[in-house]
Amino acid sequence: MARRRALVRKLAAVETLGSTNVICTDKTGTLTVGEMTARALYVADQHYEVTGEGYGPTGEVHFEGKKTEASHTAPLLELATVLLGCNNAHIVREEGVWKSIGDPTEGAMLVAGGKAGADLQLIESQLPKQHEIPFDSDRKRSTVIRRMPDRRLRAFTNGAPDALLQHCSSIYTRDGIRPLTTEDRDHIHAQISAMAKQALRVLGTAYRDLESGFSAFTAESVELELVFVGLTGMYDPPRPEARDAIAKCRAAGIRVVMITGDHPHTAAAIAHELGIASGNAAITGADLDKIADEDLRQRVNDIAVYARVSAAHKLRIVRALKANDAVVAMTGDGVNDAPAIKGADIGIAMGKSGTEVTKQAADMIITDDNFATIVVAVEAGRGIYDNIRKALQYLLAGNTGELTLMTLCVVVGLPSPLLPIHLLWINLVTDGLPALCLATDPVDSDVMKRRPRHRLESITDRHFLYTMFFTGCLTAGVAFSVYYYVLQTGTTQMARTYAFAVLVFAELLRSFGARSETKPVWRISLATNVSLVIVVVISFGLQVWSQNSAMLSGLLKTSSMPLADCFLLLAIGAIPLLVLEAVKFVRQIQRHPPQEIQLQT
């Protein structure tokens, strides 16, 4: 799992991964690249296009397809000053690549402000920072208070535009500052929706001049009576592998639910692009507040996108899903995400952006913050569970065969067909080494085409027990037939030798069929588990050598056996494998049309 960039903090989480049927995931940095690029600016009722990609300084601000003229400088500079003034990111160049040190959104704001004409060094020197009110997921805003050249204090605020507008009373225009009217608010909301429908993450910008002697630097006292300046639309492209990972989840019976703090139109656009939801509607945190817990439980299975949600909303969503008997995996990175992560069946923290508190609350940490890695972890978890199951079934079926053989001989009054040393040899050599190889078998390519296991399903279900007893009876039947036949024509020691050999051969050959409960052995490439082939060949050689070596035959109390008889017993030992594979084939024909079986073969 660690090699797949998934660090498991609690071992039981690996088993739970196989039962996961809902993955609740954040958008930014998980489903998307996490590299913001400002594409659009809106200030003083004018729209501007920002060119350039990534965090590099190359690019310009265009108006109607042309580079901005001097008449547009003042509004753009006003917007750019707030973007840079309320910012803690830094842009650096490492190995020829421009990177953002800090929040990706603030990095994009920094680049956009520079392209719009602001100078970060000039702002830092002439407008020194006095206080900072950091971003909060409930407020959805951050504020930095700086001292202006005339000694006044000014609060620069950036945040979610719909939340920011509620605290604005004025608007910046080309003709100066005037009161914010209802018509203005409707017009700004229309601009926000238009940007969001283009899959842009929209950020609002505002400021406030504080009175002389102001000292109550709290969000409640500072972030009110703000002057609305403009909007910034940023694009965070979806990860190329995310769409395929979501399609794989759908084939595996796993629902993907997007939970984000972005605008609902932005969330819906990205969700539609990635194949999470076909519609354009998203449930917001405000909508959730109007829904009772019981109503949410009834509706939660039909909702795929949540936007503008808080940490408390995430916990409600997780509880509603679990109330419907879903096995939920929840991702998060902030401190406020810890309750939801703790409340989920599988809590997943982001290794890069996640806080230490979130990582401590999580069951698993994704080191690359990539949604595709979560799907890979689920696939690995299913594969590990399957390998444990197949190794356990292989061992128990072998022991059942030995026990059945011994019991059958006692019931009919025959001498014991196996000595204690034979049982020890079988358990150490014949069963132990192949079982280890089965436990490390590569993940089946079809593991993500199956429905998730039910959370209450036992590893030893009815099919497991039926296969175990049926396999044990086949193995015991073959060994008893050989033992009884040789006992009639030879000595007891020779009969034990032949029964011992055919039992070993049957177990070794059966290990190839034990690699899958559904696929016939001819559809499983031996090259995918070379260690099993080597173990079977070596074990076969050891068994033949033990019957022709004086030292080993004395230890195992066996008699010598012609090589021709070894191959005859090998053919007889293949009978259980052939019968089991025939049963698999018949079941496959019952599940699929013959034409499909032929194509798969």
Side-chain angles (χ1 to χ4, degrees):
M1 295 287 282
R3 286 195 296 269
R4 294 169 178 254
R5 299 179 295 280
L7 304 180
V8 178
R9 298 186 65 249
K10 300 176 183 178
L11 192 59
V14 177
E15 181 181 353
T16 310
L17 278 171
S19 303
T20 301
N21 51 27
V22 178
I23 299 177
C24 297
T25 176
D26 190 15
K27 178 183 74 69
T28 305
T30 306
L31 292 172
T32 60
V33 176
E35 183 179 280
M36 296 286 183
T37 302
R39 293 283 181 84
L41 300 176
Y42 173 79
V43 58
D45 203 24
Q46 296 290 342
H47 296 272
Y48 299 90
E49 178 189 357
V50 184
T51 63
E53 296 291 336
Y55 298 115
T58 57
E60 299 173 336
V61 177
H62 288 179
F63 177 71
E64 296 182 350
K66 299 178 181 179
K67 187 176 179 180
T68 53
E69 300 175 355
S71 59
H72 297 272
T73 301
L76 282 173
L77 189 59
E78 192 73 29
L79 175 63
T81 300
V82 184
L83 291 178
L84 271 62
C86 182
N87 206 305
N88 287 310
H90 297 280
I91 303 300
V92 297
R93 190 172 188 178
E94 296 179 356
E95 299 178 355
V97 178
W98 292 97
K99 297 181 180 179
S100 172
I101 305 301
D103 185 82
T105 302
E106 293 192 349
M109 292 159 49
L110 206 62
V111 175
K115 293 177 182 178
D119 188 328
L120 179 61
Q121 294 182 351
L122 194 63
I123 290 176
E124 292 290 348
S125 61
Q126 295 187 0
L127 310 179
K129 183 186 296 185
Q130 300 297 306
H131 191 77
E132 180 176 357
I133 306 174
F135 179 85
D136 181 85
S137 59
D138 294 327
R139 290 171 32 247
K140 299 182 178 65
R141 299 181 299 278
S142 63
T143 297
V144 171
I145 300 169
R146 294 182 179 272
R147 188 170 296 281
M148 305 300 286
D150 58 3
R151 308 302 296 169
R152 289 181 298 111
L153 292 178
R154 175 171 287 188
F156 298 94
T157 303
N158 290 315
D162 45 0
L164 189 67
L165 270 174
Q166 297 175 12
H167 298 269
C168 292
S169 60
S170 304
I171 183 170
Y172 173 86
T173 68
R174 289 177 176 275
D175 301 324
I177 299 172
R178 63 172 175 79
L180 188 66
T181 65
T182 302
E183 184 180 352
D184 292 328
R185 294 181 187 275
D186 293 340
H187 183 67
I188 293 170
H189 280 296
Q191 303 306 317
I192 295 170
S193 297
M195 285 187 181
K197 288 178 180 178
Q198 299 175 40
L200 298 180
R201 186 180 187 185
V202 187
L203 189 81
T205 296
Y207 72 85
R208 176 192 173 189
D209 288 326
L210 304 176
E211 299 82 4
S212 177
F214 190 93
S215 59
F217 297 129
T218 62
E220 293 76 15
S221 59
V222 172
E223 295 173 348
L224 50 86
E225 302 296 325
L226 298 171
V227 178
F228 180 82
V229 178
L231 303 170
T232 304
M234 291 167 284
Y235 184 66
D236 184 11
R239 291 182 181 269
E241 64 274 18
R243 186 176 183 87
D244 292 338
I246 290 168
K248 184 180 287 188
C249 284
R250 189 180 298 109
I254 301 172
R255 285 184 61 221
V256 178
V257 177
M258 179 195 291
I259 304 178
T260 178
D262 284 353
H263 191 279
H265 289 323
T266 306
I270 294 294
H272 180 72
E273 186 174 347
L274 291 174
I276 294 177
S278 56
N280 294 320
I283 298 296
T284 65
D287 296 330
L288 287 176
D289 291 335
K290 301 174 184 177
I291 303 175
D293 289 342
E294 181 60 27
D295 292 336
L296 179 60
R297 187 187 70 81
Q298 295 177 2
R299 296 178 55 186
V300 72
N301 290 336
D302 300 322
I303 303 172
V305 183
Y306 298 86
R308 289 286 190 251
V309 295
S310 65
H313 294 138
K314 291 183 179 181
L315 184 58
R316 280 194 68 197
I317 295 168
V318 168
R319 288 174 175 172
L321 288 167
K322 292 181 68 175
N324 288 337
D325 205 29
V327 180
V328 184
M330 180 75 192
T331 70
D333 52 10
V335 174
N336 292 339
D337 293 334
I341 285 179
K342 196 73 174 177
D345 296 285
I346 295 288
I348 303 174
M350 301 295 106
K352 289 183 178 180
S353 59
T355 61
E356 193 61 32
V357 173
T358 310
K359 294 176 183 177
Q360 290 297 323
D363 303 293
M364 187 169 68
I365 299 173
I366 302 300
T367 59
D368 60 356
D369 295 8
N370 192 341
F371 177 81
T373 302
I374 301 174
V375 181
V376 169
V378 172
E379 183 177 10
R382 288 189 178 190
I384 291 171
Y385 181 88
D386 285 352
N387 286 351
I388 293 173
R389 180 182 169 98
K390 68 177 69 169
L392 184 63
Q393 187 177 85
Y394 175 75
L395 290 171
L396 292 179
N399 291 336
T400 301
E402 297 161 22
L403 181 62
T404 303
L405 174 62
M406 300 288 286
T407 303
L408 186 60
C409 290
V410 170
V411 170
V412 300
L414 297 177
S416 175
L418 298 173
L419 299 177
I421 189 64
H422 297 157
L423 296 174
L424 183 62
W425 176 272
I426 292 172
N427 287 328
L428 289 180
V429 178
T430 308
D431 289 349
L433 295 178
L436 289 176
C437 296
L438 290 174
T440 58
D441 207 29
V443 177
D444 189 352
S445 59
D446 293 338
V447 73
M448 291 299 283
K449 297 179 181 178
R450 305 197 303 253
R451 309 297 295 179
R453 293 182 298 102
H454 192 274
R455 64 164 74 232
L456 300 179
E457 180 181 325
S458 172
I459 194 171
T460 55
D461 56 13
R462 189 188 331 183
H463 178 70
F464 181 98
L465 296 175
Y466 168 78
T467 304
M468 182 186 75
F469 284 115
F470 182 61
T471 304
C473 290
L474 285 175
T475 307
V478 168
F480 179 79
S481 300
V482 171
Y483 178 67
Y484 185 80
Y485 176 80
V486 179
L487 198 61
Q488 304 303 314
T489 59
T491 64
T492 302
Q493 184 178 8
M494 182 178 294
R496 284 173 176 162
T497 301
Y498 277 65
F500 174 44
V502 75
L503 194 63
V504 169
F505 295 153
E507 288 295 298
L508 290 175
L509 292 174
R510 192 172 60 81
S511 65
F512 293 117
R515 295 183 63 190
S516 175
E517 296 183 25
T518 57
K519 288 184 179 180
V521 67
W522 58 84
R523 286 190 55 208
I524 307 173
S525 174
L526 295 178
T528 57
N529 197 338
V530 178
S531 58
L532 178 62
V533 178
I534 294 174
V535 163
V536 169
V537 171
I538 292 176
S539 299
F540 177 78
L542 285 174
Q543 185 66 29
V544 174
W545 182 41
S546 69
Q547 294 156 356
N548 293 278
S549 169
M551 180 183 68
L552 282 179
S553 61
L555 176 65
L556 297 175
K557 296 181 174 55
T558 57
S559 58
S560 61
M561 180 189 302
L563 189 59
D565 288 356
C566 288
F567 286 104
L568 177 61
L569 292 178
L570 182 64
I572 296 174
I575 293 176
L577 174 65
L578 296 176
V579 173
L580 291 171
E581 296 309 301
V583 171
K584 285 184 193 177
F585 186 68
V586 170
R587 285 178 177 168
Q588 195 176 40
I589 291 178
Q590 292 173 348
R591 286 194 300 266
H592 304 285
Q595 294 86 351
E596 184 176 341
I597 294 292
Q598 185 177 3
L599 288 173
Q600 291 178 349
T601 305

